[in-house]
Amino acid sequence: MVENQALAKMRRGEPAFGYALEMGSPVAAEVLAESGVDFLMVDTQHGSYNNPESTAFSFMAISTGRSTPMARVATNNYTQIGRLLDEGALGIIVPMVDTPEQAKAAADACRYPPAGARSWGWGRAVRHNPDYTTTINDEIFVAVQLESAEAVANAEAIMATPGVDGCWIGPGDLALSLGLHPSTAYGDERHEAAIARVLDACRNTGKIPGFAAFTPQEARKRADQGFLFLTAGTDLVFMEEGVRHGTSYLYGEGALPGDSYGN
């Protein structure tokens, strides 16, 4: 049976934490799949190196571990969503959703009729799940990104859309739409008020609130605030941080490779 363990946690009111895959590396996906994190999200919108082939291989790598496979689609596009589902995604995150009509299009693309309008077909998603078509409608997690002032204004109507299970706030684009720079928006009253309004909309409609955090520390803070669907970093950032830490250890804080240390 298809079982979305991350969704099961969120339905119980428990936060599900995940990492985004931006490198297009199945090896990175395999390593993170063994980390114990609840889900991994293949990012086909902003991932620098993800393409159809690397995405397929990343889903294969994720299946070696316990993390639930999810994906962010590049746009709210019926065909793109269907392809990611066919590859085995159990969660679809759709960016830049500002209206209930856009939310409905996203939700309809994710489920087979009569619940939605997904085309009858599948790829490797069915490989280890012979009852895939009879269970997937209940196990798929559909999250729309609310990341603009317009989306915040429409938040309750968007979240009330049938078939939408939750949201994933994009704090960077939300900041820009409010006239703030993402690098200085953290803690700004206008930014936090917009985030709180989306959280309230989810509570009022019984939907799952999500937030795109950039670090485990920020994800934990947002979980304490009430968010349940949380990314906590990316494979690329983890690699960069590891390299910086290692280089600082080797050469000293602030030193550059090649500096003289008297040897």
Side-chain angles (χ1 to χ4, degrees), residues 46-78:
H46 287 309
S48 299
Y49 309 105
N50 284 315
N51 57 54
E53 183 177 26
S54 68
T55 295
F57 287 141
S58 290
F59 277 123
M60 293 178 189
I62 293 170
S63 68
T64 66
R66 296 174 294 170
S67 301
T68 296
M70 299 192 184
R72 173 161 66 169
V73 68
T75 62
N76 192 353
N77 178 278
Y78 177 88

Side-chain angles (χ1 to χ4, degrees), residues 146 151-152 155-156 159 167-169 174 191-211 221-230:
L146 305 186
V152 172
E156 194 145 336
M159 298 317 300
C167 74
W168 192 50
I169 294 176
L174 177 58
H191 197 243
E192 290 299 326
I195 291 170
R197 183 169 176 179
V198 172
L199 182 58
D200 286 341
C202 290
R203 287 169 172 163
N204 292 340
T205 55
K207 299 300 177 69
I208 295 169
F211 192 90
K221 176 183 176 181
R222 295 297 180 181
D224 292 341
Q225 187 179 356
F227 288 94
L228 298 176
F229 175 62
L230 298 130

Side-chain angles (χ1 to χ4, degrees), residues 31-195:
V31 170
L32 291 179
E34 295 293 342
S35 69
V37 76
D38 295 305
F39 67 90
L40 292 177
M41 184 192 78
V42 180
D43 191 350
T44 70
Q45 183 193 21
H46 287 309
S48 299
Y49 309 105
N50 284 315
N51 57 54
E53 183 177 26
S54 68
T55 295
F57 287 141
S58 290
F59 277 123
M60 293 178 189
I62 293 170
S63 68
T64 66
R66 296 174 294 170
S67 301
T68 296
M70 299 192 184
R72 173 161 66 169
V73 68
T75 62
N76 192 353
N77 178 278
Y78 177 88
T79 301
Q80 291 177 7
I81 291 171
R83 289 300 307 154
L84 290 170
L85 292 169
D86 288 351
E87 292 294 351
L90 291 179
I92 293 290
I93 297 88
V94 182
M96 295 293 183
V97 172
D98 296 324
T99 67
E101 292 76 19
Q102 293 170 354
K104 184 178 187 305
D108 284 350
C110 290
R111 289 185 172 87
Y112 291 123
R118 181 183 173 186
S119 176
W120 183 253
W122 48 86
R124 66 169 302 277
V126 78
R127 179 173 175 81
H128 301 294
N129 300 292
D131 58 347
Y132 177 84
T133 58
T134 61
T135 60
I136 190 60
N137 275 3
D138 293 328
E139 294 297 325
I140 196 74
F141 173 62
V142 181
V144 296
Q145 280 199 257
L146 305 186
E147 45 189 344
S148 72
E150 181 183 5
V152 172
N154 293 328
E156 194 145 336
I158 291 172
M159 298 317 300
T161 302
V164 171
D165 300 300
C167 74
W168 192 50
I169 294 176
D173 282 312
L174 177 58
L176 291 172
S177 76
L178 296 173
L180 304 168
H181 194 278
S183 64
T184 58
Y186 189 83
D188 185 279
E189 290 183 3
R190 291 166 292 173
H191 197 243
E192 290 299 326
I195 291 170

